[in-house]
Amino acid sequence: MTTTLPLESRKQAAFEHARAGRFGEAAELLLSVLKEVPQDIGALLLLGDVQHVGGRTQDASRAYSGALQAIQLAGGQVAPGIRQGVQRAQARLAEYAQGYEAFIEGELPKAGRSKRFDQSVDILLGKSGIYLQQPTKYYFPGLPQIQFYDTAEFIWVAGLEAKTADIKRELMGVLEDHAAFRPYLERHDSQPNVKSHKLVGNDDWSAFYLWKDGERVEENCERCPVTAAAFENIPLDRLPGQAPSVLFSLLKPGAHIPPHHGLINTRLICHLPVLVPGPAWLRVGSETHYWQEGKVCIFDDSIEHEAKNDGNETRVVLLFDIWRPELSEQERTEIAKFLGAISTFSGEKVVTGN
């Protein structure tokens, strides 16, 4: 039997069968090779070609995907002799994915689908990754993995949005004072800056604080009385000496905040866009949101996120943090005491920093 031939002889025989249109015989030989050498990239690519021409696209997809996976396991380098085969495999996998997506669309039209279901389909099709909470300092278990929250679930949102014009008027007064804003990521030369990047100490991303590290900045609140008063009925996450922060966050034209994770997952970050003269966006996980003046957005910053101002003028949002609504009063008290204790022990704030 040909399946008892040496490996290289079987591979050559499979190639000859495929060239002669004997796809079943070719597939049988290649499968026998892969039983002994599962990561033989050449055999996987040829098996994919054979199955594709034979109309067995599911099997071809598995073979092509196996070849690409084997390449990654081998370090990602593609030998010149198989480069065209790899490109062909990638093109056909993209073609299969489009066909699969079209099938799903026919069974469940996108127009009638829920947002979360759409996300699940994108993950299945490889169009999106799985983004989970990964806070860099403190993780509280059991909280839902929600990228952007529905603002209709927060009773205070409408009242804050109604104050946008007055808040913007106060902001414009502050913007006349160029020294009022300081870099959001402050440089601390007394500490190592191992993860430092170009926005540290850079006023391309800068802040004007009304509350900082849980304390009112009285001078700034006096300059923006309407804005300061707007937070009386908002559930800010009060952690003595650490939170909340309430600030005008300024992003200059072209400035990009690279992908990163927040420090803790027990809070949500809220933006009231106050000055958005051009396209500017915030990506959280798999969702990209374009800021609109006067429209609050609420998101979990412990999930990977990034932002960019693609406009030609400065973008400013009123940024603040609130307790996650899923936390009970007891849990909020426990978290506040615990993070306070950690801060006392280490001498460092848990919920602020670069």
Side-chain angles (χ1 to χ4, degrees):
M1 294 178 63
T2 54
T3 53
T4 62
L5 294 172
L7 285 174
E8 290 304 318
S9 297
R10 272 181 272 165
K11 289 165 69 174
Q12 182 60 37
F15 179 79
E16 296 297 336
H17 280 309
R19 189 163 60 177
R22 295 187 293 271
F23 303 124
E25 291 89 336
E28 182 181 357
L29 283 168
L30 291 166
L31 287 169
S32 77
V33 170
L34 291 166
K35 186 176 181 179
E36 296 180 39
V37 192
Q39 295 179 14
D40 187 313
I41 298 168
L44 286 163
L45 290 172
L46 182 54
L47 178 61
D49 291 342
V50 166
Q51 303 288 35
H52 176 83
V53 176
R56 301 174 64 88
T57 56
Q58 294 280 356
D59 291 331
S61 177
R62 281 189 282 270
Y64 286 141
S65 297
L68 299 184
Q69 185 178 14
I71 289 169
Q72 291 303 312
L73 291 172
Q77 298 298 316
V78 178
I82 63 170
R83 192 163 293 148
Q84 286 187 337
V86 171
Q87 293 172 346
R88 185 166 59 250
Q90 291 169 329
R92 285 176 176 168
L93 284 171
E95 177 187 326
Y96 301 157
Q98 290 175 352
Y100 191 26
E101 187 172 5
F103 169 76
I104 293 172
E105 176 74 19
E107 295 293 310
L108 286 161
K110 193 163 187 175
R113 297 189 330 216
S114 67
K115 184 177 181 180
R116 286 196 295 180
F117 179 75
D118 265 348
Q119 290 177 347
S120 76
V121 172
D122 285 346
I123 292 169
L124 178 67
L125 294 174
K127 296 170 66 177
S128 172
I130 298 175
Y131 295 93
L132 303 174
Q133 298 163 5
Q134 297 183 60
T136 59
K137 288 194 175 181
Y138 176 64
Y139 176 79
F140 190 94
L143 297 173
Q145 305 283 342
I146 300 173
Q147 296 173 162
F148 284 97
Y149 276 69
D150 182 354
T151 58
E153 298 176 2
F154 299 81
I155 60 173
W156 51 264
V157 165
L160 181 63
E161 291 179 341
K163 297 181 175 69
T164 301
D166 291 332
I167 292 171
K168 184 174 183 178
R169 194 173 303 113
E170 292 182 340
L171 167 67
M172 300 309 290
V174 174
L175 287 172
E176 293 177 2
D177 177 6
H178 298 293
F181 282 78
R182 292 282 187 266
Y184 180 80
L185 296 178
E186 300 175 85
R187 184 180 300 279
H188 301 289
D189 292 329
S190 62
Q191 302 173 8
N193 289 283
V194 177
K195 296 182 179 180
S196 182
H197 55 75
K198 65 180 183 179
L199 285 176
V200 175
N202 186 338
D203 65 1
D204 281 358
W205 183 19
S206 55
F208 177 83
Y209 285 91
L210 302 176
W211 271 263
K212 187 173 180 8
D213 297 340
E215 303 292 335
R216 278 174 59 99
V217 182
E218 294 297 343
E219 177 184 355
N220 292 347
C221 286
E222 289 174 7
R223 296 176 68 173
C224 304
V226 173
T227 307
F231 291 91
E232 292 177 357
N233 297 315
I234 294 177
L236 301 173
D237 59 331
R238 299 190 183 277
L239 304 171
Q242 300 192 73
S245 291
V246 178
L247 59 138
F248 286 118
S249 173
L250 181 153
L251 207 57
K252 288 186 176 179
H256 176 220
I257 302 171
H260 65 289
H261 297 86
L263 301 166
I264 61 176
N265 70 328
T266 55
R267 68 181 180 188
L268 299 177
I269 301 298
C270 309
H271 288 172
L272 173 67
V274 184
L275 185 63
V276 190
W281 52 265
L282 165 69
R283 178 188 65 82
V284 180
S286 61
E287 297 178 73
T288 299
H289 171 86
Y290 281 81
W291 288 290
Q292 301 177 56
E293 286 189 14
K295 296 295 183 182
V296 167
C297 70
I298 302 173
F299 65 97
D300 181 350
D301 78 319
S302 71
I303 296 172
E304 182 188 270
H305 60 289
E306 64 177 317
K308 187 176 182 184
N309 181 5
D310 281 325
N312 297 319
E313 299 179 59
T314 294
R315 179 238 66 176
V316 181
V317 301
L318 180 60
L319 183 156
F320 55 98
D321 39 297
I322 64 172
W323 285 111
R324 289 188 67 124
E326 301 90 359
L327 294 170
S328 68
E329 287 299 326
Q330 177 181 337
E331 288 169 333
R332 295 179 187 187
T333 299
E334 290 168 341
I335 291 165
K337 288 182 178 179
F338 179 58
L339 296 183
I342 293 175
S343 179
T344 299
F345 179 83
S346 66
E348 297 180 358
K349 295 179 173 65
V350 180
V351 301
T352 59
N354 298 347

